[in-house]
Every structure is written in structure tokens, then in C-alpha cells.
Amino acid sequence: MCRLLAFASTSASTFSDVLGIEEAAAFQHLARVHDDGWGAMWTTQDGGLERRRRTGGGMRDAALTNTLSGVRSRAAVAHLRLATGGLPVRSVNTHPFRAVTRLGPVGLAHNGSIMPIADLRALVSPAFLRDCAGTTDSELYFALVRERIEEGAELAEAVADTITTIRAHFPVAGLNAMVLGVDQLVVVRASTHAAVPTAHFAERGLDDASLPPAHDEAYYDLRVRRTPDGGLAFASSGLDTTGWEDVPLDSLTVVDLVSMRMSTHALATADAPARV
């Protein structure tokens, strides 16, 4: 279970530019709880997707500070990891996960849990399993997205189809995610039935008084705001998002990185099909 942050901008910007220095610092401070690694990815001028990952806590890590305030891009995603169920704290298990696909480079950062992992592995074809370097459910989630892309799906369609597949087998999985390609940012809010990791917090000696804001029933909330320059910012709970709008439950939001057009689509649930 993790924290997610992303932006899409009309010009090369940093997280500090988009959020403000204080809120970028507040995001980094969330690493006092989500301290099993951090990572970020961002688009480059030449159509690439750069990535930086570190294990361990990021709260006082100068490299994370520099990433949030010094890396300029048109679009970026940041992730703070809280390892699920004793999964190893290793570089290969640290988000975001990245691969070159038929659509170009794509990366995914996940907040949630899909258990048991052995059952999730069974859904991934051997060719894509071989490309998984780590042991997390999140990388398998990404493998299923990549598999759909290589079968011919566009990015948003691949993500939506993957969520439908996973939910058929894991109806209470937490599937919030941010997926970045060279021309789209896809933001997923799909954790309606996921349990808040209160037991996990308790195991680490964290009670309600010591937890960051909104680490309760709002833990899987995602919010969005349009920035003054016409860009967009997305954040999971824990920051001051006063005045931001809720990303709808069971939705997939697509941002065109050229036009900054945002469209939000309903994901498939037990009662309704997807509309992407």
C-alpha cells in the first residue's frame, strides 16, 4: 500500500512547481510511514520515459528532494512504497515498473494489494512472467497491462481490460494506479472494496494519532485539480487537497499529454461493464 502523485503540464515543470514547495515537501514527509522505497518516472523531450528508484525511506533522502524539485518534465509520476504482506524491500520490487512496449515506453505505479500472488501469477502468460524481475503483485499487474498492449490494445483500453480480468478473480483487490506513456497519463481509482491497511499500520507501531491525515477510510481516495497553466495534478490521500475534486469511484481517467484534455470513464463492476 503506497502513496501516488502525478502531474501533466503544458510546459516542463517539477512537482514543486505544480504542487508548491510546501506540498511537495509534505508528500516527501509521507515517507515516514511509506518507507519501503520510493520511485519516480517522467517523460523526456525525445519521447522517452526516465525512471529513478531507491529502496528504504525517502523522508530525508536528498535524491527524492531533488527529484521532486529538480526534475523538469511535461508529465511525471511519484510513488512511496509501503510493502504489502512482508514482500521484500528490494530495488526490483520498487515502483514504478517500466517496459518498452508496442506503444513505446510505459510505466506503472500501484497503490493496493492483489492476493494471493500465486493466483495472480497464474493469469500472466509465461512470456510476460519471464520479464518480471521482482516478486510483487504490482509488477504482475503491470505484466497483464503489457500483455494486453502487445495483443493490440491502446493504453487506456489495456489498463481497463486488465482491471476487469483481475476483478473477476480478486473482487476486493486494491487497484489504484498511475500509468504513464509517452503521450498519455492514465489514472485508476479502483479500490472500492479494498480494506484499509490498519493492521499493517498497527504492526509498525502506528496508531491514529501518529498516522498522516486521511489514513483511514479515505486511504484509497484520489483527487485531481486543474492547475493555473491548464495542466493537471493527481494525488492520493495524505496531502492538503482543499479545493481539489474527487476522482470518481471505479473510474479510469485519461489525460492527453499534448492537448491536456482529460476524460473519465467508468470501469467495469459487478453491476456494469466498462465504458472506455
Side-chain angles (χ1 to χ4, degrees), residues 21-59:
I21 294 173
E22 290 185 0
E23 282 308 303
F27 177 78
Q28 183 166 358
H29 192 69
L30 292 174
R32 71 179 177 85
V33 172
H34 302 80
D35 61 354
D36 291 321
W38 64 268
M41 59 184 171
W42 57 91
T43 58
T44 61
Q45 289 184 339
D46 61 358
L49 187 63
E50 291 292 330
R51 178 180 60 173
R52 184 176 293 168
R53 300 190 294 180
R54 299 286 189 275
T55 57
M59 190 172 75

Side-chain angles (χ1 to χ4, degrees), residues 5 10 15 24 28 32 42 62 84 116 142 146 150 165 187 191 199 212 221 230 233 245 258 260:
L5 187 65
T10 57
F15 283 100
Q28 183 166 358
R32 71 179 177 85
W42 57 91
T84 301
F142 184 42
R146 293 191 293 111
E150 300 311 325
T165 297
V187 175
S191 296
D221 286 1
E245 297 180 5
V258 176
M260 290 297 123

Side-chain angles (χ1 to χ4, degrees), residues 8 20 34 37-38 56 77 83 87 110 120-121 123 144 163 167 194 211 213 228 241 249 260 264:
H34 302 80
W38 64 268
V77 171
L87 288 171
H110 172 215
L120 182 60
R121 287 179 63 86
L123 300 180
L144 288 168
I163 291 167
R167 281 182 156 179
L211 285 170
T241 53
L249 293 170
M260 290 297 123
T264 299

